[in-house]
Amino acid sequence: MIKMLEIDKLKFSYDDKNTIIDEINLAINQQEFTAIIGPNGSGKSTLLKNISNLFTPDSGAIYLDSKNLNRIPPRELAQKMSVVPQDTNISFNFTVYDIVMMGRHPYQGRWGRVQDRDREKVEEALALTDTRQFRDRDLNSLSGGERQRVIIARALAQDPEILLLDEPTSSLDINYQREIFDLLSYLNQEKNLTILVVSHDLNLSSQYCSRLILIDRGRIFAGGSPEEVLTEENIGQVYQTEVKVRQNYLTGRPYVVLMPGRAECVPARLQQDFKIHLISGGGTGQELLQQFYERNYHISCGVLNQGDSDWELARRLGCEIVDIAPFSYIEESDLQRNREKIEQADLVVVSELPFGHGNLKNLEQLSGFSDKQIFLLQERNIAERDYTGGQAEKLWQQQLDLHGTRVFTGQQQMMEQIDEMADRAGDCS
Amino acid sequence: MQIKHKYLIVILCTLAAVIISFIIALVHSSTDIPLRTVIQALFSAEGDLARYAIIIRRIRLPRIALSFLVGSGLALAGVVFQGVIRNPMVDPYIVGISAGAGTAVTFAIVYNLSFSFFYFSTIPLFAFVGALLTVMLVYNLARVGSKIPVMTFLLAGVATAFMLDAVRSFVMVLGTQDLQRVVFWLMGSLSGTSWSDITMILPYYLLGLLPIIFFANDLNLILMGEESAHHLGLNVEKVKKLLIAGATLVTAAVVAVSGSIGFIGLVVPHIARLLIGPDHRKLLPLAAVLGGVFLMLSDMLARSLLPPMEIPVGIITALVGGPYFIYLLRRRKSESW
């Protein structure tokens, strides 16, 4: 087998911070029909733009016919490699014939004098793509699939050795998708054209291509035949979604079946079903509030003094709040309201708040819930934030003995535990 | 074959239009001179003809020639900018050329500055240099590394033009006694043209024309989109820069002697495109001739409508071009150009 294209330790980033392509090594042999697949943002289109010399690699190199691609003069490169870009909109009224003839540009002189050979090649390209009937039509009067075929015809008129396509079927109906891939397959087998296509359609790629390259986060995750690449594990890992892989009994190729999530199986947090009651104050609950909010939990707070910074944030995030006037003490009626919230909650979280006589009742009340899931955050010892002369510390220690109560010394660990609880609370398991 | 046929007809019609408008412009002005006398005066300046010979040879001929040059230059630059920026609503002034020239000229008039350089007298010199400096500024504002994203170029041009126009207005407020001269220049006019105006700008004009001719075919590829053009083997950034430089030079040369004459650079490319399609190898020559004829006739009207007064020709081009452009817009069926 003759190597057509060789990618050697390619690295690329748009700016210095975000590496898009993180060292890719790949060789494409002559007459291969290869698809680069991968999730959105995995770097597959960027890889194609590097291969087509639109971008220059940060390091590493790409060789076409053993020549460094970046050093091949543009015209010469266009004679060997043609590219069908993703966007085929052209806002000026050229006829189909004019556009396909532009594919001959790398072979023409300065003023584009058309030679017999150019005409032959254009006719051949029109015939191959079945676009002869549109020859004098404006490109913009054609449908998406027809337009795509014209652009492929232009690429073929370049008489390339290798054809690159960027998502050639992304906006097409299935009949056009099949049409385009049938055409590519024909060109590959009958015209010995090497084809490299970037696609997000796993099944089309699997049915038509002899080789798949699965890209994830700028690296090659797997490469080989469709059977080797399209496994449930690979796709599960890269796309983070559950699929089943079956065999298409007509073609023998693997076929990826998406497993739809059942409506009743939506994780609890998406439905805001997981209820957390937060006891905090003096700003100690801010980070927790923020994190609960971002995870879509249903949050209630209490008992908080109005004007407290936790109260401010909770109000802004739209939480339910049991509140009392600033600097006042918690009364029995407030505790009653708070009790309702605690009873409704799946979990009570107590932040590292300082306790004084004003809010001690918050802690006192918790001792009545022996079976309730209660998480206490304690990075700082309770003694250091007890301003009640030992009462709070005593209640805290008693609380620790309760069946449902757990204490965490790190917020991170606590969050992980909460997330796990919330996921379990959904109906999926 | 039908298409070739159409091209031939269009060429013949425009040639006829050039000749007819040339004759009309020569004959008709604030005072009409009969065609027979015109022809005689072209070849002899004896006796009675002496007076006509001066009018024809020293006043009307250079003015007609310049109006043709200016008109075709603006139309060419319009085609190039519309093509490179791939936006049909662009005209040659969009990148700040007229604002730069106008501001520089206003300074010169209000502060009575006087310089000359290489045949350039004060006002054309200021206009020319002001235009070039402005485009260079806009170009550098829009540059990202070695690339010029066309949209940024366009927007930088618009923003710079706004600022320069503000500066110009401010200078105008300070120098109210010269307002009339400034306003007259800004409206664009060809009055007082002599052969020296033509020899003054011709070298720059021709120099600017070179890349436009040279890269006419490549401009077609750029219309396909810059990525596609790249894939078709074109060094897009290089071609784009040279085309912008060429169109800028032509426009600056033209603005130096005529002020900012509006609408030709916007409308004529469209008319030409409707007649002949978007292929720049045909479009550019046709637009050049149409632009020349259009300004030749507009200037003839400017001279002759209200004698002895002259109407600034920019008013005529806008009044004639505007409605026609609106007509084209209304008639247009498809979304593309």
Side-chain angles (χ1 to χ4, degrees):
Chain A
M1 287 218 258
I2 306 159
K3 264 185 205 161
M4 172 65 96
L5 193 73
E6 197 178 359
I7 301 170
D8 183 32
K9 298 199 189 85
L10 179 75
K11 279 191 185 199
F12 180 83
S13 59
Y14 288 102
D15 48 49
D16 294 334
K17 273 172 277 169
N18 304 313
T19 307
I20 307 295
I21 293 183
D22 185 13
E23 191 157 321
I24 281 189
N25 293 294
L26 178 66
I28 305 283
N29 294 318
Q30 231 170 31
Q31 271 201 56
E32 262 186 325
F33 186 0
T34 311
I36 300 175
I37 53 176
N40 294 337
S42 58
K44 54 190 194 306
S45 279
T46 309
L47 175 61
L48 196 82
K49 286 184 168 137
N50 271 279
I51 299 174
S52 58
N53 196 23
L54 212 52
F55 298 152
T56 312
D58 293 345
S59 69
I62 303 168
Y63 300 95
L64 178 68
D65 282 344
S66 325
K67 269 192 253 175
N68 187 330
L69 188 118
N70 296 115
R71 302 214 187 100
I72 302 176
R75 278 169 71 89
E76 199 182 309
L77 184 62
Q79 293 176 0
K80 287 187 171 171
M81 172 190 277
S82 53
V83 183
V84 176
Q86 202 168 7
D87 175 26
T88 57
N89 267 330
I90 292 167
S91 54
F92 290 82
N93 266 329
F94 283 100
T95 66
V96 166
Y97 188 82
D98 288 341
I99 285 170
V100 178
M101 187 56 93
M102 284 183 200
R104 298 302 296 166
H105 176 264
Y107 299 91
Q108 289 171 336
R110 164 104 333 258
W111 279 280
R113 245 182 76 89
V114 177
Q115 314 266 339
D116 282 343
R117 178 152 179 79
D118 298 327
R119 278 190 206 94
E120 279 166 30
K121 283 287 170 191
V122 168
E123 286 306 329
E124 195 186 318
L126 288 171
L128 274 171
T129 52
D130 191 21
T131 47
R132 280 183 146 164
Q133 71 263 37
F134 310 130
R135 177 192 162 101
D136 293 323
R137 295 260 300 272
D138 283 336
L139 188 73
N140 292 307
S141 66
L142 304 181
S143 73
E146 291 161 350
R147 201 155 56 206
Q148 190 65 277
R149 266 153 56 202
V150 172
I151 301 300
I152 293 176
R154 186 183 71 191
L156 293 180
Q158 282 175 252
D159 204 8
E161 293 167 26
I162 180 167
L163 178 62
L164 310 181
L165 302 99
D166 192 0
E167 306 272 11
T169 57
S170 58
S171 55
L172 302 181
D173 291 339
I174 48 166
N175 52 333
Y176 288 130
Q177 292 183 355
R178 203 201 71 167
E179 199 176 79
I180 298 291
F181 268 88
D182 278 346
L183 170 63
L184 295 179
S185 189
Y186 174 80
L187 293 170
N188 173 242
Q189 278 160 28
E190 305 297 323
K191 299 286 160 187
N192 301 332
L193 196 60
T194 312
I195 298 180
L196 183 62
V197 54
V198 164
S199 175
H200 63 233
D201 194 320
L202 301 178
N203 288 324
L204 270 176
S205 312
S206 164
Q207 303 311 306
Y208 285 94
C209 301
S210 51
R211 186 176 168 203
L212 303 185
I213 312 287
L214 177 59
I215 306 257
D216 184 33
R217 280 170 284 177
R219 283 170 172 272
I220 295 181
F221 188 85
S225 67
E227 289 80 6
E228 288 165 333
V229 175
L230 291 184
T231 63
E232 286 166 14
E233 298 79 56
N234 281 350
I235 295 172
Q237 273 197 43
V238 171
Y239 288 86
Q240 314 223 310
T241 193
E242 195 191 341
V243 296
K244 295 279 177 232
V245 175
R246 298 276 175 265
Q247 204 177 42
N248 181 335
Y249 68 95
L250 295 173
T251 60
R253 296 286 180 91
Y255 197 84
V256 177
V257 186
L258 195 68
M259 300 305 292
R262 280 168 290 123
E264 68 268 26
C265 177
V266 176
R269 67 166 88 160
L270 281 187
Q271 303 170 8
Q272 284 211 336
D273 254 8
F274 192 71
K275 296 197 171 84
I276 297 179
H277 184 72
L278 176 68
I279 294 171
S280 69
T284 58
Q286 299 219 338
E287 268 182 62
L288 290 169
L289 273 170
Q290 195 71 41
Q291 295 207 34
F292 294 161
Y293 177 78
E294 283 167 10
R295 286 165 162 78
N296 230 355
Y297 296 141
H298 184 283
I299 315 165
S300 58
C301 299
V303 178
L304 277 174
N305 287 89
Q306 286 164 7
D308 185 288
S309 54
D310 284 354
W311 178 84
E312 292 278 358
L313 180 62
R315 212 171 50 137
R316 266 197 289 134
L317 298 180
C319 309
E320 294 177 35
I321 309 175
V322 178
D323 54 3
I324 53 176
F327 303 110
S328 57
Y329 281 54
I330 300 175
E331 305 282 341
E332 192 50 44
S333 61
D334 309 320
L335 284 176
Q336 185 53 42
R337 284 190 290 144
N338 204 33
R339 180 186 319 274
E340 284 166 23
K341 294 293 166 210
I342 294 175
E343 276 164 0
Q344 286 164 14
D346 297 297
L347 172 70
V348 178
V349 173
V350 183
S351 76
E352 272 192 308
L353 73 167
F355 287 102
H357 291 291
N359 66 354
L360 188 65
K361 289 220 166 75
N362 267 331
L363 193 56
E364 218 175 277
Q365 185 179 31
L366 283 181
S367 58
F369 294 91
S370 59
D371 284 334
K372 196 84 194 167
Q373 293 272 7
I374 299 174
F375 284 5
L376 306 179
L377 187 60
Q378 177 180 278
E379 282 168 337
R380 263 169 67 201
N381 201 311
I382 177 69
E384 294 171 34
R385 45 197 171 90
D386 179 5
Y387 300 96
T388 56
Q391 284 187 51
E393 192 181 351
K394 205 173 134 207
L395 282 168
W396 186 274
Q397 298 302 346
Q398 283 172 11
Q399 188 67 33
L400 292 182
D401 294 336
L402 288 186
H403 174 66
T405 302
R406 290 179 62 181
V407 69
F408 292 87
T409 50
Q411 193 173 310
Q412 180 75 26
Q413 293 142 272
M414 187 167 87
M415 282 314 300
E416 279 167 17
Q417 199 60 44
I418 293 175
D419 290 344
E420 206 175 289
M421 261 182 81
D423 286 342
R424 269 207 311 274
D427 308 312
C428 291
S429 53
Chain B
M1 277 304 101
Q2 202 200 346
I3 291 168
K4 261 206 168 128
H5 207 59
K6 188 181 164 191
Y7 185 45
L8 206 66
I9 293 175
V10 169
I11 290 289
L12 288 176
C13 289
T14 25
L15 279 180
V18 173
I19 295 166
I20 294 168
S21 9
F22 176 72
I23 293 171
I24 296 176
L26 211 48
V27 171
H28 192 62
S29 186
S30 48
T31 49
D32 288 356
I33 303 173
L35 183 56
R36 180 190 297 271
T37 321
V38 169
I39 295 169
Q40 285 169 343
L42 277 178
F43 299 103
S44 112
E46 305 287 305
D48 280 353
L49 287 175
R51 188 164 63 94
Y52 292 118
I54 288 176
I55 293 177
I56 297 291
R57 294 190 207 168
R58 296 239 187 111
I59 297 173
R60 288 198 189 168
L61 262 186
R63 185 158 177 174
I64 291 167
L66 188 70
S67 66
F68 190 87
L69 270 186
V70 169
S72 51
L74 288 174
L76 280 173
V79 172
V80 171
F81 277 118
Q82 287 176 3
V84 169
I85 299 180
R86 289 200 308 287
N87 184 330
M89 281 303 157
V90 163
D91 79 356
Y93 301 141
I94 199 85
V95 290
I97 294 181
S98 65
T103 309
V105 165
T106 308
F107 264 105
I109 293 176
V110 170
Y111 293 108
N112 273 321
L113 304 175
S114 166
F115 291 97
S116 59
F117 178 79
F118 264 119
Y119 310 110
F120 269 97
S121 52
T122 309
I123 300 270
L125 179 69
F126 270 78
F128 189 69
V129 173
L132 288 188
L133 284 180
T134 309
V135 178
M136 275 183 229
L137 172 72
V138 170
Y139 185 90
N140 278 303
L141 286 177
R143 198 161 53 96
V144 181
S146 65
K147 293 190 172 171
I148 299 290
V150 284
M151 261 307 141
T152 323
F153 184 56
L154 184 65
L155 293 175
V158 172
T160 309
F162 266 113
M163 289 189 287
L164 283 173
D165 281 340
V167 172
R168 195 205 64 218
S169 306
F170 183 66
V171 176
M172 281 168 75
V173 170
L174 295 180
T176 35
Q177 74 282 2
D178 298 307
L179 262 191
Q180 203 200 348
R181 269 182 80 200
V182 173
V183 170
F184 211 81
W185 189 90
L186 288 177
M187 286 192 286
S189 168
L190 293 162
S191 61
T193 302
S194 67
W195 286 112
S196 67
D197 287 321
I198 294 181
T199 49
M200 182 169 74
I201 65 159
L202 206 56
Y204 304 96
Y205 189 96
L206 294 178
L207 186 66
L209 222 48
L210 282 181
I212 298 178
I213 297 169
F214 202 66
F215 295 117
N217 190 35
D218 296 337
L219 197 48
N220 289 338
L221 296 192
I222 289 180
L223 288 191
M224 299 285 106
E226 288 183 17
E227 277 191 26
S228 287
H230 168 90
H231 297 318
L232 291 167
L234 192 66
N235 188 339
V236 178
E237 288 301 322
K238 184 187 108 187
V239 170
K240 210 163 70 179
K241 284 171 197 166
L242 285 169
L243 279 170
I244 289 175
T248 301
L249 202 55
V250 169
T251 317
V254 158
V255 167
V257 288
S258 66
S260 45
I261 296 175
F263 255 89
I264 294 188
L266 177 63
V267 175
V268 172
H270 282 281
I271 300 172
R273 213 173 275 127
L274 277 177
L275 288 172
I276 215 154
D279 183 346
H280 285 89
R281 287 167 295 180
K282 299 171 188 165
L283 178 61
L284 282 165
L286 181 67
V289 176
L290 284 182
V293 169
F294 184 53
L295 191 59
M296 211 151 79
L297 290 175
S298 300
D299 187 51
M300 184 270 291
L301 290 176
R303 281 179 278 149
S304 59
L305 276 182
L306 294 172
M309 200 185 106
E310 261 202 33
I311 306 167
V313 71
I315 293 177
I316 309 246
T317 54
L319 278 182
V320 176
Y324 185 67
F325 190 58
I326 291 166
Y327 162 73
L328 289 181
L329 279 180
R330 302 282 304 173
R331 216 190 57 155
R332 190 170 71 106
K333 286 180 226 91
S334 68
E335 282 296 304
S336 54
W337 292 93

